[in-house]
Amino acid sequence: MLDPYVARTIRDMPADLISLKVGINIVALATFRLRTFGPAVHGFLDTVRDGHPDTPLLLMSPVSSPALDAPPGPTTMGPDGKSQPWATRPMWPVGRCR
């Protein structure tokens, strides 16, 4: 999820090689948008590189996820367990406060 504390933990640990998989879980539930995703990845990598300037780093991303590629915008899981656009999610009933 590109949490800064994870980047700091990686930065502070010894490593001969660093491999990161970034992508699929970030798309769901509108964690990042187009404007915020790039800067978040760069900030995460910059923090890791502060502690490992010469360590080989492998950055992976999912090649394809048809369930997440087809619908526009962020997605969520529908009642049938399939991915659906966030905007079409069912709204949960709100109980009345007493």
Side-chain angles (χ1 to χ4, degrees):
M1 298 304 273
L2 300 176
D3 293 321
Y5 78 90
V6 174
R8 289 190 301 271
T9 300
I10 295 169
R11 175 196 66 197
D12 296 340
M13 305 251 336
D16 296 324
L17 170 70
I18 300 168
S19 64
L20 303 170
K21 182 178 176 190
V22 178
I24 206 91
N25 291 331
I26 292 174
V27 174
L29 300 178
T31 306
F32 289 100
R33 299 293 180 132
L34 183 59
R35 185 191 70 76
T36 58
F37 180 69
V41 171
H42 282 275
F44 190 95
L45 294 174
D46 288 346
T47 299
V48 170
R49 276 288 179 218
D50 286 344
H52 300 281
D54 300 316
T55 303
L57 190 146
L58 174 64
L59 180 62
M60 296 172 280
S61 177
V63 174
S64 174
S65 176
L68 297 175
D69 292 342
T75 58
T76 188
M77 297 302 280
D80 58 359
K82 294 182 179 177
S83 176
Q84 68 180 23
W86 178 260
T88 62
R89 73 192 186 286
M91 299 306 289
W92 301 107
V94 178
R96 188 188 312 179
C97 296
R98 295 178 187 222

